[in-house]
Amino acid sequence: MDVAYVATNFEELPLAAERPAESPTDRTAPSAASLTASLADELVDHRFKALPPDAEGLTVGALAAERRSLFTGGFTTPVLALSAESVAHNLDLLGTYAERHGLAFAPHGKTSMSPQLFVDQLERGAWGITAAVPHQARVYRAYGIARIFLANELVDPVALRWLAGEMTADPSFRFVCYVDSVRGVELMDEALSAAGATRPVDVVVELGAGEGARTGARTEADCAAVADAVATAGSLRLVGVAGYEGEVPDADPERVRAWLRRLVALAAAFDGEKRFAGAEEIAISAGGSAWFDAVADVFAEIPELSLPVLKLLRSGAYVSHDDGHYKHLTPFNRVPEEGALEPAFRLWAQVVSRPTGEQAFLNAGKRDAAYDLDLPEAQVIRSGRDGSVRPATGVTVTGLSDQHTWVRTESGAELEVGDWVGLGLSHPCTSFDKWQLIPLAEADGTVIDYLRTFF
């Protein structure tokens, strides 16, 4: 797989505003690929769960080069692994899906917070990477991400001062964020002006998905009021509209498409009113991981506007998919002819107690496994005696403690202390964030790389 491993202490990396400005003779800023490539020099030590104790002192790159077995190479349990084949498949699938439907793609980086995966997404044609909060944007910039879409209103004056410095230091850096309130626009303008911003921050008005939904201006009139405020803010430039269809109340295909058509109509109305003066293109953005098929359908209907349209999709959970929540929600269930995502995560835990014939305990818990949407699913058992693998028939996870998985076993289920149990997980976002360094393993268990995360 073409994931280039990198790992460095983010806190030690200077921000662009703190780095020397490039001279006019510099061709380009350092690329994301070149910045992430340096992380292979990070040392393996106690900070990283499950890595082989005898690897301490090696660099991550050197450990990856040894191509150890996940099962016999000295890893301790519990250990989370990603399937190299499934991750590559998923990256390819959404990249080609977006291209096929004429969509630009800014995958949401909050899912993995892994610069290596960002590089893979960019190499497959992604426009940029979506963020939710300032910390994520700082990580992205530390690893050379040139385009960031922040799917939130940004009103923190400290973060806005950092942003102003970053945009001044790197004229090629493109940043876009939501606005959804007049007060928010006022706060942004005040902070950016105080920071001496040298060029305007591009913003998109967020249309809320309905009453009781999450963020966003609730009505078209509210959106117009926000746009009016942007027009008087010297440090901001209106470049489009956006929102999140996953928050549509009682979402179904008809309701989601109706809201998306409202979003498109809002963009067309704003364009007719010449609200995008000064923009180079009109951004219309939506698309989580549950309704990107509806986004593709409705965005294909966008009428001709006065400027080119950036149809920006923001799905993120696809990169690893899962065995629970997104397995049931993925649009590919509705359009199977477009392909299918593959669950890439597997958490391996060991049986450490078998107190009765109906009960067992594994040594993984809430610190290791996602549990906010669904409990882990027992899928396979690897014998602690001979390494043979069999389905986890009659084995069910019933609960999680901090460091234990509660397992119920049916009569006749073969499970003993020392066996490894492979668990499927639900919700990628809360799987990645429990592990700082994740082995990337081939189907036979050979670990070929390690993915660094920054949560």
Side-chain angles (χ1 to χ4, degrees), residues 257-270:
R257 283 175 169 80
W259 178 83
L260 287 164
R261 291 190 177 100
R262 281 183 63 199
L263 185 69
V264 170
L266 180 66
F270 278 9

Side-chain angles (χ1 to χ4, degrees), residues 340-390:
L341 294 169
E342 298 176 357
F345 272 126
R346 179 161 283 171
L347 176 65
W348 289 94
Q350 203 164 16
V351 181
V352 293
S353 181
R354 188 78 157 100
T356 72
E358 294 77 38
Q359 193 175 39
F361 291 89
L362 315 181
N363 65 344
K366 293 179 181 179
R367 312 288 181 170
D368 314 296
Y371 62 93
D372 56 321
L373 293 178
D374 298 289
L375 287 172
E377 174 187 274
Q379 295 179 328
V380 295
I381 298 168
R382 189 175 191 277
S383 171
R385 295 179 183 272
D386 59 17
S388 60
V389 178
R390 62 186 184 275

Side-chain angles (χ1 to χ4, degrees), residues 27 30 36 39 73-74 85 90 98 160 200 210 224 240 242 267 292-293 295 329 336 338 347 362 387 412 417:
R27 291 184 179 179
T36 54
L39 273 167
E85 295 88 352
N90 294 342
L160 287 163
F292 55 73
D293 58 331
V295 174
L329 286 184
E338 297 263 24
L347 176 65
L362 315 181
V417 171

Side-chain angles (χ1 to χ4, degrees), residues 70-387:
L70 188 70
F71 307 111
T72 61
F75 293 86
T76 62
T77 56
V79 57
L80 182 69
L82 274 165
S83 162
E85 295 88 352
S86 294
V87 169
H89 168 84
N90 294 342
L91 289 167
D92 287 340
L93 183 60
L94 254 291
T96 57
Y97 180 91
E99 181 180 8
R100 184 162 58 248
H101 289 277
L103 301 170
F105 192 24
H108 212 316
K110 71 175 176 62
T111 296
S112 72
M113 289 304 295
S114 171
Q116 300 126 279
L117 291 176
F118 300 163
V119 168
D120 275 350
Q121 289 166 325
L122 293 169
E123 288 179 346
R124 286 166 170 82
W127 172 90
I129 306 294
T130 296
V133 293
H135 163 72
Q136 293 166 1
R138 287 190 64 198
V139 173
Y140 299 1
R141 289 300 291 158
Y143 289 96
I145 302 303
R147 291 174 176 162
I148 297 174
F149 186 99
L150 186 78
N152 248 330
E153 189 167 65
L154 181 59
V155 296
D156 182 337
V158 175
L160 287 163
R161 184 166 63 247
W162 168 82
L163 175 62
E166 200 75 5
M167 292 179 66
T168 297
D170 183 357
S172 67
F173 172 40
R174 176 88 191 273
F175 179 88
V176 183
C177 73
Y178 283 180
V179 286
D180 80 344
S181 65
V182 172
R183 177 58 176 156
V185 169
E186 292 171 350
L187 289 170
M188 290 186 72
D189 191 37
E190 289 172 5
L192 290 166
S193 298
T198 56
R199 56 190 175 105
V201 171
D202 288 344
V203 296
V204 291
V205 173
E206 182 192 7
L207 173 66
E211 291 303 321
R214 207 162 61 187
T215 55
R218 289 298 190 255
T219 68
E220 282 74 2
D222 292 338
C223 289
V226 175
D228 287 340
V230 173
T232 64
S235 63
L236 303 178
R237 178 174 67 167
L238 185 65
V239 299
V241 298
Y244 175 48
E245 75 293 338
E247 283 288 310
V248 169
D250 302 315
D252 63 19
E254 289 186 5
R255 290 187 179 92
V256 168
R257 283 175 169 80
W259 178 83
L260 287 164
R261 291 190 177 100
R262 281 183 63 199
L263 185 69
V264 170
L266 180 66
F270 278 9
D271 186 43
E273 295 161 359
K274 303 187 184 308
R275 292 183 181 275
F276 299 124
E280 298 175 359
E281 60 187 0
I282 298 170
I284 306 178
S285 179
S289 296
W291 294 103
F292 55 73
D293 58 331
V295 174
D297 290 346
V298 174
F299 279 15
E301 304 169 358
I302 293 175
E304 184 174 351
L305 302 179
S306 65
L307 294 168
V309 177
L310 179 71
K311 305 174 183 179
L312 196 62
L313 182 70
R314 306 192 308 271
S315 308
Y318 80 96
V319 68
S320 66
H321 198 43
D322 72 7
D323 282 294
H325 185 69
Y326 287 103
K327 178 181 179 180
H328 302 299
L329 286 184
T330 176
F332 289 120
N333 292 336
R334 295 186 291 271
V335 287
E337 67 277 8
E338 297 263 24
L341 294 169
E342 298 176 357
F345 272 126
R346 179 161 283 171
L347 176 65
W348 289 94
Q350 203 164 16
V351 181
V352 293
S353 181
R354 188 78 157 100
T356 72
E358 294 77 38
Q359 193 175 39
F361 291 89
L362 315 181
N363 65 344
K366 293 179 181 179
R367 312 288 181 170
D368 314 296
Y371 62 93
D372 56 321
L373 293 178
D374 298 289
L375 287 172
E377 174 187 274
Q379 295 179 328
V380 295
I381 298 168
R382 189 175 191 277
S383 171
R385 295 179 183 272
D386 59 17

